[in-house]
């Protein structure tokens, strides 16, 4: 019996048909208990993209979900994690994690914090990012342009 009445809100838009896997988080509370928050995994030739949406307004549950993500990505060698982390806490899965969460760019204007961003693991790359107001969300969007070396 599933009490989830709202899906994760995660989507992939691109020119290629892809197979992906969705994994729900084990822990949630409050209104987020009714939504199917989790991580969408898209595996390509040389890397895996994890698109995620973490719990809102509960740092204890957010930390539990971050631990779930860390345990999951240990199975992959090159990972790009993107999404709505709903916190400005830094996720520390590995010393080799690189993130833009150290920047002070605001992506959630209601609280003037950076809640959305990217973590990269095991990849040799350069990137540029641009934050924009898309008028469709309470979060600002981010466009990332990667060059893999």
């Amino acid at each position: 019996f599933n009490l989830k009445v709202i899906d994760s809100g995660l989507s992939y838009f691109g020119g290629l048909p892809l197979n992906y896997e969705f994994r729900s988080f084990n822990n949630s509370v409050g209104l987020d208990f009714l939504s199917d928050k989790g991580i969408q995994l898209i595996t390509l030739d040389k890397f895996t993209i994890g698109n995620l949406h973490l719990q809102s307004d509960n740092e204890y549950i957010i930390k539990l979900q971050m631990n779930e993500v860390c345990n999951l990505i240990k199975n992959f060698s090159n990972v790009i994690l993107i999404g709505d982390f709903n916190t400005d806490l830094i996720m520390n899965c590995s010393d080799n994690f690189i993130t833009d969460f150290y920047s002070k760019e605001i992506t959630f204007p209601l609280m003037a914090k950076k809640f959305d961003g990217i973590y990269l693991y095991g990849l040799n790359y350069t990137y540029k990012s641009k934050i924009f107001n898309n008028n469709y969300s309470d979060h600002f969007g981010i466009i990332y342009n990667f060059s893999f070396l």
Side-chain angles (χ1 to χ4, degrees):
F1 182 67
N2 187 352
L3 294 176
K4 307 296 183 188
V5 294
I6 302 170
D7 67 19
S8 67
L10 300 175
S11 297
Y12 162 79
F13 297 97
L16 300 173
L18 295 175
N19 292 325
Y20 70 90
E21 173 185 358
F22 179 79
R23 295 200 188 175
S24 299
F25 292 128
N26 293 325
N27 299 285
S28 62
V29 295
L31 290 176
D32 277 6
F33 180 77
L34 298 174
S35 64
D36 199 13
K37 298 243 174 133
I39 184 167
Q40 178 186 57
L41 296 166
I42 301 167
T43 301
L44 303 170
D45 288 339
K46 297 183 181 184
F47 57 93
T48 298
I49 300 170
N51 181 16
L52 59 84
H53 195 181
L54 297 179
Q55 171 82 34
S56 63
D57 299 327
N58 188 308
E59 287 196 359
Y60 175 75
I61 298 296
I62 289 170
K63 288 177 184 177
L64 290 175
Q65 292 175 346
M66 285 180 164
N67 285 334
E68 283 186 63
V69 171
C70 289
N71 288 329
L72 177 62
I73 66 165
K74 288 177 186 176
N75 300 316
F76 304 95
S77 57
N78 295 311
V79 179
I80 300 171
L81 288 178
I82 56 173
D84 179 356
F85 291 82
N86 272 319
T87 185
D88 55 359
L89 295 172
I90 304 295
M91 185 165 47
N92 292 311
C93 297
S94 164
D95 290 339
N96 297 325
F97 244 170
I98 296 176
T99 182
D100 69 347
F101 270 90
Y102 294 109
S103 76
K104 299 301 178 196
E105 300 167 308
I106 293 171
T107 62
F108 189 60
L110 184 65
M111 295 179 70
K113 294 192 175 201
K114 182 173 180 68
F115 280 2
D116 310 86
I118 191 165
Y119 287 87
L120 298 126
Y121 175 74
L123 297 165
N124 191 9
Y125 68 94
T126 60
Y127 77 89
K128 294 180 182 178
S129 64
K130 179 182 176 184
I131 294 178
F132 65 95
N133 183 351
N134 61 19
N135 295 320
Y136 297 107
S137 173
D138 55 345
H139 294 250
F140 292 154
I142 307 173
I143 296 173
Y144 290 99
N145 185 350
F146 292 95
S147 296
F148 295 100
L149 307 174

PDB file of all heavy atoms in Angstrom, residues 89-111:
ATOM      1  N   LEU A  89      23.480  22.702   3.428  1.00  0.00           N
ATOM      2  CA  LEU A  89      24.478  21.801   3.996  1.00  0.00           C
ATOM      3  C   LEU A  89      25.296  21.200   2.858  1.00  0.00           C
ATOM      4  O   LEU A  89      24.772  20.938   1.778  1.00  0.00           O
ATOM      5  CB  LEU A  89      23.813  20.663   4.772  1.00  0.00           C
ATOM      6  CG  LEU A  89      23.022  21.021   6.014  1.00  0.00           C
ATOM      7  CD1 LEU A  89      22.286  19.783   6.535  1.00  0.00           C
ATOM      8  CD2 LEU A  89      23.950  21.570   7.085  1.00  0.00           C
ATOM      9  N   ILE A  90      26.570  20.938   3.111  1.00  0.00           N
ATOM     10  CA  ILE A  90      27.421  20.328   2.108  1.00  0.00           C
ATOM     11  C   ILE A  90      27.424  18.812   2.321  1.00  0.00           C
ATOM     12  O   ILE A  90      27.665  18.331   3.417  1.00  0.00           O
ATOM     13  CB  ILE A  90      28.873  20.869   2.206  1.00  0.00           C
ATOM     14  CG1 ILE A  90      28.891  22.397   2.082  1.00  0.00           C
ATOM     15  CG2 ILE A  90      29.773  20.206   1.182  1.00  0.00           C
ATOM     16  CD1 ILE A  90      28.434  22.936   0.749  1.00  0.00           C
ATOM     17  N   MET A  91      27.122  18.074   1.263  1.00  0.00           N
ATOM     18  CA  MET A  91      27.118  16.616   1.315  1.00  0.00           C
ATOM     19  C   MET A  91      28.559  16.130   1.172  1.00  0.00           C
ATOM     20  O   MET A  91      29.250  16.510   0.240  1.00  0.00           O
ATOM     21  CB  MET A  91      26.242  16.043   0.199  1.00  0.00           C
ATOM     22  CG  MET A  91      26.090  14.562   0.256  1.00  0.00           C
ATOM     23  SD  MET A  91      24.736  13.905  -0.768  1.00  0.00           S
ATOM     24  CE  MET A  91      24.955  14.708  -2.318  1.00  0.00           C
ATOM     25  N   ASN A  92      29.030  15.298   2.090  1.00  0.00           N
ATOM     26  CA  ASN A  92      30.415  14.832   2.088  1.00  0.00           C
ATOM     27  C   ASN A  92      30.485  13.325   1.916  1.00  0.00           C
ATOM     28  O   ASN A  92      30.763  12.597   2.863  1.00  0.00           O
ATOM     29  CB  ASN A  92      31.115  15.248   3.382  1.00  0.00           C
ATOM     30  CG  ASN A  92      31.310  16.739   3.474  1.00  0.00           C
ATOM     31  OD1 ASN A  92      31.789  17.348   2.532  1.00  0.00           O
ATOM     32  ND2 ASN A  92      30.933  17.321   4.587  1.00  0.00           N
ATOM     33  N   CYS A  93      30.251  12.850   0.711  1.00  0.00           N
ATOM     34  CA  CYS A  93      30.347  11.418   0.441  1.00  0.00           C
ATOM     35  C   CYS A  93      31.795  10.989   0.284  1.00  0.00           C
ATOM     36  O   CYS A  93      32.134   9.850   0.542  1.00  0.00           O
ATOM     37  CB  CYS A  93      29.627  11.061  -0.858  1.00  0.00           C
ATOM     38  SG  CYS A  93      27.874  11.374  -0.844  1.00  0.00           S
ATOM     39  N   SER A  94      32.635  11.882  -0.181  1.00  0.00           N
ATOM     40  CA  SER A  94      33.997  11.522  -0.546  1.00  0.00           C
ATOM     41  C   SER A  94      34.857  12.777  -0.570  1.00  0.00           C
ATOM     42  O   SER A  94      34.365  13.875  -0.836  1.00  0.00           O
ATOM     43  CB  SER A  94      33.987  10.880  -1.931  1.00  0.00           C
ATOM     44  OG  SER A  94      35.276  10.842  -2.483  1.00  0.00           O
ATOM     45  N   ASP A  95      36.141  12.606  -0.321  1.00  0.00           N
ATOM     46  CA  ASP A  95      37.071  13.733  -0.454  1.00  0.00           C
ATOM     47  C   ASP A  95      37.191  14.172  -1.905  1.00  0.00           C
ATOM     48  O   ASP A  95      37.638  15.277  -2.186  1.00  0.00           O
ATOM     49  CB  ASP A  95      38.457  13.340   0.062  1.00  0.00           C
ATOM     50  CG  ASP A  95      38.468  13.161   1.567  1.00  0.00           C
ATOM     51  OD1 ASP A  95      37.567  13.698   2.242  1.00  0.00           O
ATOM     52  OD2 ASP A  95      39.376  12.471   2.064  1.00  0.00           O
ATOM     53  N   ASN A  96      36.798  13.293  -2.826  1.00  0.00           N
ATOM     54  CA  ASN A  96      36.911  13.606  -4.255  1.00  0.00           C
ATOM     55  C   ASN A  96      35.667  14.281  -4.821  1.00  0.00           C
ATOM     56  O   ASN A  96      35.558  14.476  -6.014  1.00  0.00           O
ATOM     57  CB  ASN A  96      37.205  12.330  -5.043  1.00  0.00           C
ATOM     58  CG  ASN A  96      38.523  11.733  -4.650  1.00  0.00           C
ATOM     59  OD1 ASN A  96      39.459  12.458  -4.346  1.00  0.00           O
ATOM     60  ND2 ASN A  96      38.610  10.418  -4.649  1.00  0.00           N
ATOM     61  N   PHE A  97      34.710  14.607  -3.971  1.00  0.00           N
ATOM     62  CA  PHE A  97      33.513  15.314  -4.424  1.00  0.00           C
ATOM     63  C   PHE A  97      33.854  16.771  -4.696  1.00  0.00           C
ATOM     64  O   PHE A  97      34.484  17.436  -3.874  1.00  0.00           O
ATOM     65  CB  PHE A  97      32.450  15.286  -3.336  1.00  0.00           C
ATOM     66  CG  PHE A  97      31.204  14.531  -3.696  1.00  0.00           C
ATOM     67  CD1 PHE A  97      30.267  14.270  -2.728  1.00  0.00           C
ATOM     68  CD2 PHE A  97      30.950  14.098  -4.976  1.00  0.00           C
ATOM     69  CE1 PHE A  97      29.110  13.585  -3.021  1.00  0.00           C
ATOM     70  CE2 PHE A  97      29.796  13.411  -5.278  1.00  0.00           C
ATOM     71  CZ  PHE A  97      28.884  13.157  -4.302  1.00  0.00           C
ATOM     72  N   ILE A  98      33.402  17.280  -5.813  1.00  0.00           N
ATOM     73  CA  ILE A  98      33.540  18.699  -6.134  1.00  0.00           C
ATOM     74  C   ILE A  98      32.131  19.249  -6.269  1.00  0.00           C
ATOM     75  O   ILE A  98      31.267  18.634  -6.871  1.00  0.00           O
ATOM     76  CB  ILE A  98      34.340  18.890  -7.435  1.00  0.00           C
ATOM     77  CG1 ILE A  98      35.760  18.364  -7.226  1.00  0.00           C
ATOM     78  CG2 ILE A  98      34.329  20.341  -7.856  1.00  0.00           C
ATOM     79  CD1 ILE A  98      36.617  18.390  -8.442  1.00  0.00           C
ATOM     80  N   THR A  99      31.896  20.428  -5.692  1.00  0.00           N
ATOM     81  CA  THR A  99      30.548  20.990  -5.707  1.00  0.00           C
ATOM     82  C   THR A  99      30.587  22.488  -5.904  1.00  0.00           C
ATOM     83  O   THR A  99      31.583  23.141  -5.610  1.00  0.00           O
ATOM     84  CB  THR A  99      29.803  20.654  -4.396  1.00  0.00           C
ATOM     85  OG1 THR A  99      28.487  21.181  -4.473  1.00  0.00           O
ATOM     86  CG2 THR A  99      30.508  21.235  -3.184  1.00  0.00           C
ATOM     87  N   ASP A 100      29.474  23.034  -6.392  1.00  0.00           N
ATOM     88  CA  ASP A 100      29.347  24.487  -6.485  1.00  0.00           C
ATOM     89  C   ASP A 100      28.587  25.044  -5.284  1.00  0.00           C
ATOM     90  O   ASP A 100      28.263  26.213  -5.244  1.00  0.00           O
ATOM     91  CB  ASP A 100      28.700  24.909  -7.802  1.00  0.00           C
ATOM     92  CG  ASP A 100      27.241  24.536  -7.909  1.00  0.00           C
ATOM     93  OD1 ASP A 100      26.745  23.742  -7.083  1.00  0.00           O
ATOM     94  OD2 ASP A 100      26.578  25.027  -8.832  1.00  0.00           O
ATOM     95  N   PHE A 101      28.315  24.223  -4.267  1.00  0.00           N
ATOM     96  CA  PHE A 101      27.589  24.709  -3.099  1.00  0.00           C
ATOM     97  C   PHE A 101      28.415  25.664  -2.249  1.00  0.00           C
ATOM     98  O   PHE A 101      27.905  26.304  -1.353  1.00  0.00           O
ATOM     99  CB  PHE A 101      27.064  23.550  -2.245  1.00  0.00           C
ATOM    100  CG  PHE A 101      25.698  23.113  -2.659  1.00  0.00           C
ATOM    101  CD1 PHE A 101      25.545  22.131  -3.610  1.00  0.00           C
ATOM    102  CD2 PHE A 101      24.571  23.705  -2.130  1.00  0.00           C
ATOM    103  CE1 PHE A 101      24.288  21.734  -4.024  1.00  0.00           C
ATOM    104  CE2 PHE A 101      23.306  23.314  -2.533  1.00  0.00           C
ATOM    105  CZ  PHE A 101      23.165  22.331  -3.476  1.00  0.00           C
ATOM    106  N   TYR A 102      29.715  25.756  -2.515  1.00  0.00           N
ATOM    107  CA  TYR A 102      30.539  26.726  -1.792  1.00  0.00           C
ATOM    108  C   TYR A 102      30.340  28.142  -2.325  1.00  0.00           C
ATOM    109  O   TYR A 102      30.692  29.101  -1.674  1.00  0.00           O
ATOM    110  CB  TYR A 102      32.009  26.333  -1.861  1.00  0.00           C
ATOM    111  CG  TYR A 102      32.300  25.048  -1.138  1.00  0.00           C
ATOM    112  CD1 TYR A 102      32.616  23.893  -1.834  1.00  0.00           C
ATOM    113  CD2 TYR A 102      32.228  24.987   0.255  1.00  0.00           C
ATOM    114  CE1 TYR A 102      32.869  22.702  -1.171  1.00  0.00           C
ATOM    115  CE2 TYR A 102      32.482  23.800   0.929  1.00  0.00           C
ATOM    116  CZ  TYR A 102      32.802  22.668   0.217  1.00  0.00           C
ATOM    117  OH  TYR A 102      33.045  21.492   0.878  1.00  0.00           O
ATOM    118  N   SER A 103      29.749  28.257  -3.510  1.00  0.00           N
ATOM    119  CA  SER A 103      29.466  29.589  -4.060  1.00  0.00           C
ATOM    120  C   SER A 103      28.298  30.200  -3.300  1.00  0.00           C
ATOM    121  O   SER A 103      27.507  29.506  -2.675  1.00  0.00           O
ATOM    122  CB  SER A 103      29.136  29.504  -5.547  1.00  0.00           C
ATOM    123  OG  SER A 103      27.835  29.005  -5.729  1.00  0.00           O
ATOM    124  N   LYS A 104      28.184  31.480  -3.346  1.00  0.00           N
ATOM    125  CA  LYS A 104      27.125  32.167  -2.601  1.00  0.00           C
ATOM    126  C   LYS A 104      25.956  32.574  -3.496  1.00  0.00           C
ATOM    127  O   LYS A 104      25.143  33.403  -3.133  1.00  0.00           O
ATOM    128  CB  LYS A 104      27.695  33.411  -1.904  1.00  0.00           C
ATOM    129  CG  LYS A 104      28.784  33.073  -0.896  1.00  0.00           C
ATOM    130  CD  LYS A 104      28.260  32.139   0.176  1.00  0.00           C
ATOM    131  CE  LYS A 104      29.355  31.753   1.147  1.00  0.00           C
ATOM    132  NZ  LYS A 104      29.033  30.609   1.945  1.00  0.00           N
ATOM    133  N   GLU A 105      25.858  31.954  -4.671  1.00  0.00           N
ATOM    134  CA  GLU A 105      24.742  32.252  -5.563  1.00  0.00           C
ATOM    135  C   GLU A 105      23.433  31.796  -4.921  1.00  0.00           C
ATOM    136  O   GLU A 105      23.369  30.723  -4.330  1.00  0.00           O
ATOM    137  CB  GLU A 105      24.919  31.535  -6.897  1.00  0.00           C
ATOM    138  CG  GLU A 105      26.174  31.925  -7.628  1.00  0.00           C
ATOM    139  CD  GLU A 105      26.451  30.967  -8.771  1.00  0.00           C
ATOM    140  OE1 GLU A 105      26.466  29.750  -8.533  1.00  0.00           O
ATOM    141  OE2 GLU A 105      26.667  31.462  -9.876  1.00  0.00           O
ATOM    142  N   ILE A 106      22.408  32.584  -5.058  1.00  0.00           N
ATOM    143  CA  ILE A 106      21.109  32.252  -4.475  1.00  0.00           C
ATOM    144  C   ILE A 106      20.257  31.541  -5.522  1.00  0.00           C
ATOM    145  O   ILE A 106      20.096  32.020  -6.637  1.00  0.00           O
ATOM    146  CB  ILE A 106      20.403  33.526  -3.969  1.00  0.00           C
ATOM    147  CG1 ILE A 106      21.188  34.094  -2.787  1.00  0.00           C
ATOM    148  CG2 ILE A 106      18.962  33.240  -3.593  1.00  0.00           C
ATOM    149  CD1 ILE A 106      20.714  35.456  -2.340  1.00  0.00           C
ATOM    150  N   THR A 107      19.710  30.383  -5.142  1.00  0.00           N
ATOM    151  CA  THR A 107      18.786  29.670  -6.031  1.00  0.00           C
ATOM    152  C   THR A 107      17.402  29.550  -5.417  1.00  0.00           C
ATOM    153  O   THR A 107      16.469  29.144  -6.097  1.00  0.00           O
ATOM    154  CB  THR A 107      19.307  28.255  -6.367  1.00  0.00           C
ATOM    155  OG1 THR A 107      19.393  27.493  -5.164  1.00  0.00           O
ATOM    156  CG2 THR A 107      20.658  28.319  -7.056  1.00  0.00           C
ATOM    157  N   PHE A 108      17.273  29.867  -4.134  1.00  0.00           N
ATOM    158  CA  PHE A 108      15.972  29.835  -3.469  1.00  0.00           C
ATOM    159  C   PHE A 108      15.740  31.213  -2.848  1.00  0.00           C
ATOM    160  O   PHE A 108      16.109  31.464  -1.697  1.00  0.00           O
ATOM    161  CB  PHE A 108      15.927  28.732  -2.419  1.00  0.00           C
ATOM    162  CG  PHE A 108      14.554  28.490  -1.850  1.00  0.00           C
ATOM    163  CD1 PHE A 108      13.498  28.109  -2.671  1.00  0.00           C
ATOM    164  CD2 PHE A 108      14.314  28.650  -0.506  1.00  0.00           C
ATOM    165  CE1 PHE A 108      12.232  27.882  -2.149  1.00  0.00           C
ATOM    166  CE2 PHE A 108      13.047  28.429   0.030  1.00  0.00           C
ATOM    167  CZ  PHE A 108      12.005  28.045  -0.798  1.00  0.00           C
ATOM    168  N   PRO A 109      15.150  32.134  -3.617  1.00  0.00           N
ATOM    169  CA  PRO A 109      15.064  33.528  -3.172  1.00  0.00           C
ATOM    170  C   PRO A 109      14.221  33.746  -1.916  1.00  0.00           C
ATOM    171  O   PRO A 109      14.482  34.669  -1.155  1.00  0.00           O
ATOM    172  CB  PRO A 109      14.462  34.259  -4.372  1.00  0.00           C
ATOM    173  CG  PRO A 109      13.884  33.211  -5.242  1.00  0.00           C
ATOM    174  CD  PRO A 109      14.594  31.934  -4.951  1.00  0.00           C
ATOM    175  N   LEU A 110      13.243  32.882  -1.661  1.00  0.00           N
ATOM    176  CA  LEU A 110      12.392  33.052  -0.497  1.00  0.00           C
ATOM    177  C   LEU A 110      13.206  33.071   0.803  1.00  0.00           C
ATOM    178  O   LEU A 110      12.905  33.811   1.727  1.00  0.00           O
ATOM    179  CB  LEU A 110      11.351  31.927  -0.446  1.00  0.00           C
ATOM    180  CG  LEU A 110      10.318  32.006   0.665  1.00  0.00           C
ATOM    181  CD1 LEU A 110       9.429  33.237   0.471  1.00  0.00           C
ATOM    182  CD2 LEU A 110       9.468  30.752   0.692  1.00  0.00           C
ATOM    183  N   MET A 111      14.275  32.262   0.853  1.00  0.00           N
ATOM    184  CA  MET A 111      15.141  32.211   2.029  1.00  0.00           C
ATOM    185  C   MET A 111      16.535  32.771   1.750  1.00  0.00           C
ATOM    186  O   MET A 111      17.406  32.719   2.612  1.00  0.00           O
ATOM    187  CB  MET A 111      15.247  30.776   2.541  1.00  0.00           C
ATOM    188  CG  MET A 111      13.923  30.233   3.044  1.00  0.00           C
ATOM    189  SD  MET A 111      14.041  28.533   3.619  1.00  0.00           S
ATOM    190  CE  MET A 111      15.005  28.746   5.103  1.00  0.00           C
TER     191      MET A 111
END
